[in-house]
Amino acid sequence: MHISDYEKIVGKDIIHELKLISNKLKKKKIQCINSTKVGGGVAEILSRLIPLLNDLGIDATWDVITADPDYYNVTKAFHNALHGRKVEITQSMFDKFVSTGEDIAKRTDIYGDIVFVHDPQPIMLVEKKSNSSKWIWRCHVDVSSPYMEVWEFLRRFIEKYNCSVFSSPKFARELEIPQFLVAPSIDPFSEKNRELTPEEIDSVLKKYGIEKEKPIITQVSRFDYLKDPLGVIDAYRLVKKYIDCQLILAGNRAADDPETDIVLQDVMEKKGDDPDIHILLVEPERNDFDVNAIQRASDVVVQKSIKEGFAITITEALWKARPVVASAVGGIPLQISHRYSGILCHTVGGAALGIREVLNNPEYAKRIGRNGKEHIRRNFLSTRHLRDYMLLFLSLDNPEDIVYL
Amino acid sequence: MSRWTAKAKNPFDFFTSVKLRELTGKKACNLRELTAIIKEVPGSAIYYHTHVFLQKKQRLSPEPPNDFAYWISHVLGEYKLGEELASIDICEFSTIRELRERIITRIESHLFDRKESLRYAPPGREFEFIKAHSFVVPTGFKARSLKEFTMILEKITIHSIYFHIFEARLRLEKGINDFSFWIGTSANAPEVAHKIATLDPYTFTMEGLRRKIINLVADWGNEELKK
């Protein structure tokens, strides 16, 4: 993809602005470092943004650290601990982190004027920081209520960076270094978000045995009690009293989540023999395309979560101009203005009422869907992410509140 | 030559302003904490929380340009005070310092009059103070006449209009928006300058504001051509 391809989506004016900003970074070498080239949100974002930065004439590169599996077991445990999950952390895990971190630092060539390190795995590279380079630590994890021993351990490395970046104030913790905010984004050309033909959408509906003629209510999320799939079934049943509709609960199996099977079992039990409830375990390799088609085929998309991060599935649904009914938790109110670009709810009854209103009023549904798409276009696409990152790089040499470039 | 196409004394250089958000690390969970922090945070945080809605909801509904009002109403449930803060007419102020004083005065007088105990935000819904770094960049667009001015207004970003109307007047303390200043002093059309200066920009969507300014200038231009 080229930056000019985005003109037809965000407008010439926005692309012109990106070019103006990028001109100020032409002399900088940006080195991004993370722990994987494929899989996961960080790799997905970098694989999109690095070519766009290059296309804007910025010398940005992307390096990946390597380590043995034991190290990744430790960092996985740290990741869960940062999320506040109960995990056993031993002294030998801290020792392993430090010894491998030192080894990674020895093997990794640092050449950037700006070194942009993502997440905890490569965090110890900062020990190689020199006076001539600026270092940024990008945290993609919600560290608002971590297992403190792990946080305090990592903090001594984090505070050696020039600044840090978090996705939301809700995910951050107090630090001695500046903390910038860069919200997540979706890419309009990715497999999960690109336009689909009616034939492509129909092929997915056919594959899962979903009727086209009956209104479709969908929730896309992993099978987790915090996403309240049982509450969604309750809401669907309240709607079903008045409107003959179908419910799709679509998700995939998270390899690191042992709870999935227990939740799925409860969901299947609650579904009973209702043929209009479709529980879809989407194969990972088909996930993006199938989810795209299912979202586009839906008459209303629901996210009745009890707790949420940013809720990127809501961003995706709004981008597809779907009317969305979602709980007012986590990042959802940032994306939805109640009754203007979607409907916010707090209870099963509220969700059911919102769904009925949308299904019974197609014009209203179209209007809020259109507004939602516009909000995402302006605030949550990869072009905005690109702009924020460029400003972040510029801020390292320009810490003032008002900067004339 | 009509004033519509006449060359202005000085060209108008269009700038744009883009923002990077930074956490201040300060959080409030009740009105007393909120006022204490409002008194100490940098002006860039007050500016951010009274203007962020404008750029975010640029094409959607006109929004109350005030995070404090929203939080006080929807998190603390103090609707009367929330409305009082939302209705502060920011156009009355020419500096962030004055605006900050007004916000503090409104909240403190509310606290002074109240009989009930303080309300607290539930955990996770505290008011998080954020500040905005503004990066001001020349766009390369230059208007030499009012006709050119309207043509450029059609194609520049909303961020550019935002900068010249809101940020220049209040954050840079110029006292008047850049468009009115140039139209009145360089393009010799003080009547149009006055019309733009007396708009109520905080109640428009940003796209609505763009159209309003273009129409004001273009309608005036049509009248000029008839003369």
Side-chain angles (χ1 to χ4, degrees):
Chain A
M1 275 300 153
H2 294 285
I3 194 72
S4 53
D5 294 324
Y6 290 79
E7 263 186 23
K8 58 178 181 283
I9 291 179
V10 296
K12 267 187 175 174
D13 52 346
I14 296 293
I15 301 303
H16 177 65
E17 202 167 73
L18 290 177
K19 288 177 181 168
L20 292 173
I21 302 167
S22 68
N23 284 336
K24 310 293 175 187
L25 282 165
K26 293 268 158 84
K27 290 180 186 153
K28 296 281 181 198
K29 191 180 271 292
I30 320 280
Q31 182 180 12
C32 298
I33 305 175
N34 80 322
S35 64
T36 174
K37 205 85 180 175
V38 285
V42 182
E44 198 178 311
I45 292 165
L46 289 175
S47 66
R48 290 275 167 191
L49 295 189
I50 299 287
L52 292 177
L53 285 167
N54 294 155
D55 202 33
L56 283 165
I58 297 172
D59 184 0
T61 54
W62 174 16
D63 294 314
V64 175
I65 57 156
T66 53
D68 60 274
D70 285 348
Y71 180 68
Y72 291 117
N73 287 335
V74 171
T75 59
K76 177 75 197 172
F78 279 17
H79 178 94
N80 289 337
L82 289 175
H83 267 295
R85 291 198 200 158
K86 272 190 184 167
V87 278
E88 196 193 349
I89 304 288
T90 60
Q91 184 55 44
S92 68
M93 292 165 96
F94 289 122
D95 295 342
K96 174 70 185 169
F97 189 92
V98 170
S99 63
T100 311
E102 284 168 354
D103 180 50
I104 291 169
K106 264 184 222 155
R107 287 186 285 110
T108 307
D109 184 22
I110 300 294
Y111 51 83
D113 301 310
I114 294 171
V115 184
F116 194 13
V117 174
H118 294 257
D119 280 342
Q121 299 91 336
I123 204 167
M124 276 182 62
L125 285 174
V126 74
E127 302 289 356
K128 291 182 89 170
K129 182 179 166 198
S130 66
N131 288 338
S132 59
S133 57
K134 297 279 169 69
W135 288 62
I136 306 168
W137 185 61
R138 174 46 154 137
C139 182
H140 296 269
V141 185
D142 174 358
V143 294
S144 54
S145 32
Y147 175 48
M148 284 310 284
E149 204 178 340
V150 171
W151 172 251
E152 288 302 332
F153 171 78
L154 292 174
R155 186 187 167 114
R156 64 180 210 232
F157 300 112
I158 297 167
E159 291 185 340
K160 290 181 179 169
Y161 285 77
N162 292 87
C163 68
S164 58
V165 186
F166 292 85
S167 297
S168 153
K170 306 274 177 234
F171 299 169
R173 294 195 72 74
E174 222 172 313
L175 287 168
E176 292 294 317
I177 55 171
Q179 294 169 277
F180 291 101
L181 296 168
V182 175
S185 66
I186 58 165
D187 191 279
F189 294 113
S190 67
E191 191 66 357
K192 212 186 243 181
N193 297 302
R194 71 175 173 90
E195 293 286 341
L196 297 180
T197 63
E199 293 75 29
E200 285 177 311
I201 296 172
D202 287 351
S203 72
V204 173
L205 295 185
K206 199 172 161 198
K207 174 176 150 187
Y208 291 111
I210 295 157
E211 274 182 62
K212 227 171 114 180
E213 286 68 31
K214 212 180 263 191
I216 300 172
I217 305 164
T218 297
Q219 174 160 303
V220 176
S221 65
R222 62 175 199 274
F223 292 94
D224 181 328
Y225 289 119
L226 291 178
K227 308 292 176 187
D228 200 15
L230 303 176
V232 179
I233 295 178
D234 287 333
Y236 151 81
R237 292 209 162 117
L238 290 173
V239 176
K240 187 86 169 172
K241 285 204 291 186
Y242 301 100
I243 302 167
D244 188 17
C245 56
Q246 317 170 73
L247 171 67
I248 300 176
L249 291 174
N252 53 25
R253 188 184 292 277
D256 60 341
D257 192 351
E259 210 178 61
T260 304
D261 286 329
I262 304 165
V263 180
L264 255 174
Q265 201 180 332
D266 277 356
V267 168
M268 294 307 284
E269 207 169 285
K270 188 146 189 142
K271 162 187 154 53
D273 56 5
D274 186 339
D276 283 330
I277 300 181
H278 306 272
I279 313 297
L280 311 183
L281 255 183
V282 185
E283 311 145 46
E285 55 278 11
R286 297 283 305 168
N287 184 66
D288 291 358
F289 178 73
D290 286 6
V291 166
N292 188 350
I294 290 165
Q295 286 172 327
R296 287 182 189 278
S298 301
D299 294 275
V300 53
V301 172
V302 178
Q303 192 68 51
K304 217 210 109 349
S305 303
I306 292 160
K307 201 176 167 194
E308 261 302 340
F310 181 73
I312 206 85
T313 54
I314 288 302
T315 326
E316 292 160 7
L318 291 169
W319 175 242
K320 289 158 189 132
R322 297 296 84 204
V324 173
V325 176
S327 304
V329 295
I332 293 175
L334 290 176
Q335 303 186 61
I336 293 178
S337 296
H338 184 49
R339 298 205 168 279
Y340 199 83
S341 51
I343 294 178
L344 294 175
C345 63
H346 302 86
T347 60
V348 166
L353 178 64
I355 296 167
R356 275 163 35 216
E357 284 176 1
V358 164
L359 294 181
N360 283 332
N361 298 282
E363 277 308 311
Y364 174 57
K366 214 177 266 180
R367 195 167 65 239
I368 60 173
R370 214 168 33 229
N371 289 344
K373 178 165 188 163
E374 202 50 51
H375 185 52
I376 301 305
R377 187 197 308 279
R378 294 287 148 182
N379 296 296
F380 298 111
L381 292 187
S382 28
T383 39
R384 194 240 64 232
H385 210 141
L386 195 61
R387 188 191 72 205
D388 284 357
Y389 276 176
M390 289 196 291
L391 296 181
L392 176 68
F393 303 149
L394 287 166
S395 74
L396 293 166
D397 289 328
N398 303 278
E400 307 84 22
D401 285 347
I402 300 175
V403 180
Y404 290 90
L405 294 174
Chain B
M1 188 186 279
S2 87
R3 287 188 290 169
W4 172 238
T5 50
K7 196 171 169 193
K9 274 185 229 157
N10 299 303
F12 185 87
D13 287 307
F14 283 86
F15 286 79
T16 189
S17 168
V18 277
K19 310 278 181 294
L20 180 66
R21 298 176 303 148
E22 183 183 345
L23 266 180
T24 64
K26 311 262 181 224
K27 275 184 203 182
C29 65
N30 61 41
L31 286 175
R32 281 201 202 289
E33 286 180 9
L34 187 77
T35 31
I37 300 172
I38 288 176
K39 284 177 187 174
E40 68 178 63
V41 287
S44 52
I46 304 297
Y47 183 78
Y48 176 80
H49 289 296
T50 50
H51 287 76
V52 60
F53 274 114
L54 289 167
Q55 274 183 301
K56 277 207 162 168
K57 307 284 168 72
Q58 49 197 268
R59 279 170 193 264
L60 300 174
S61 59
E63 293 277 349
N66 193 327
D67 280 349
F68 303 122
Y70 184 88
W71 183 77
I72 288 170
S73 293
H74 297 279
V75 177
L76 296 186
E78 303 250 20
Y79 290 97
K80 185 166 171 280
L81 176 64
E83 194 172 299
E84 280 178 6
L85 289 184
S87 62
I88 287 178
D89 182 3
I90 301 178
C91 294
E92 281 180 13
F93 306 97
S94 50
T95 64
I96 295 286
R97 185 178 44 77
E98 294 167 18
L99 175 60
R100 185 202 306 256
E101 285 305 317
R102 176 64 61 88
I103 294 168
I104 293 168
T105 308
R106 286 266 164 102
I107 302 175
E108 284 187 336
S109 63
H110 172 87
L111 284 171
F112 184 78
D113 291 340
R114 70 178 289 126
K115 304 281 180 284
E116 21 167 341
S117 54
L118 273 183
R119 293 186 189 182
Y120 282 76
R125 301 205 66 193
E126 301 86 358
F127 190 95
E128 310 254 9
F129 283 81
I130 293 168
K131 67 176 191 171
H133 292 262
S134 291
F135 293 81
V136 182
V137 196
T139 65
F141 291 118
K142 226 179 240 297
R144 290 168 190 82
S145 68
L146 279 167
K147 188 181 174 193
E148 279 185 16
F149 178 79
T150 52
M151 286 162 66
I152 296 170
L153 268 189
E154 290 277 4
K155 58 185 177 189
I156 52 168
T157 59
I158 280 301
H159 306 135
S160 176
I161 296 174
Y162 174 88
F163 173 73
H164 290 297
I165 290 283
F166 297 97
E167 203 156 6
R169 192 189 72 79
L170 187 65
R171 197 172 187 192
L172 307 183
E173 300 189 359
K174 291 186 184 175
I176 185 170
N177 74 75
D178 284 343
F179 293 159
S180 291
F181 183 77
W182 178 76
I183 293 171
T185 57
S186 258
N188 190 26
E191 61 274 42
V192 188
H194 178 72
K195 279 185 181 169
I196 295 175
T198 52
L199 280 175
D200 181 10
Y202 288 93
T203 54
F204 284 85
T205 64
M206 287 304 296
E207 277 300 334
L209 187 60
R210 182 205 297 267
R211 289 262 62 85
K212 182 75 185 175
I213 297 171
I214 290 172
N215 290 342
L216 270 178
V217 184
D219 288 350
W220 171 87
N222 286 334
E223 290 302 315
E224 275 293 295
L225 287 173
K226 285 182 200 159
K227 284 181 187 169

